Amino acid sequence: MGLITGLITFVVGALIGGLGIYVGAQLVAGEGSYTEALVTALVGSLVWAVVGTFFGWVPLLGPLVTLLAYLGVLKFAYGVSWVEAAGIALVAWVTLLVVFVALGPLLGVFSAVGVPGV
């Protein structure tokens, strides 16, 4: 994959990841703008990558610490509880799953930035 193709894929993935977090934040917390969701997606993906790099290799505990760090980003960004942050993440994940099933073949993108597991 070339530099331009990688950059385009990252930008489209970030926009789609921001959409998932935006929908989750609206449904769970009833607040937040798309811009805030996009920034949260970028920060969340960075935190996921850094924490996952340092702790992800630890059996059982590593993935849990990584997930909690990601949920902490959502909790901080939207001022919600841990349960609500998990709800935002779950709604974002389901939203992106639906988007990729419906639009994936048309967009040619099957990953999102800022929503783990998608």
Side-chain angles (χ1 to χ4, degrees), residues 2 5 8 21 31 42 52 56 58-59 66 79 95 104-105:
T5 305
I8 291 170
I21 292 175
E31 64 180 55
L42 294 172
V58 179
T66 305
T95 299

Side-chain angles (χ1 to χ4, degrees), residues 3-94:
L3 179 63
I4 300 297
T5 305
L7 184 60
I8 291 170
T9 302
F10 175 79
V11 169
V12 170
L15 293 172
I16 294 172
L19 173 68
I21 292 175
Y22 174 75
V23 171
Q26 289 297 312
L27 290 177
V28 174
E31 64 180 55
S33 66
Y34 177 73
T35 304
E36 184 179 3
L38 182 59
V39 170
T40 303
L42 294 172
V43 171
S45 66
L46 179 64
V47 166
W48 183 275
V50 170
V51 174
T53 299
F54 289 108
F55 297 102
W57 59 272
V58 179
L60 297 176
L61 185 61
L64 179 62
V65 169
T66 305
L67 178 61
L68 288 175
Y70 175 75
L71 292 178
V73 170
L74 294 175
K75 182 180 182 327
F76 177 77
Y78 292 101
V80 296
S81 69
W82 287 101
V83 173
E84 291 171 320
I88 291 171
L90 181 63
V91 171
W93 187 84
V94 170

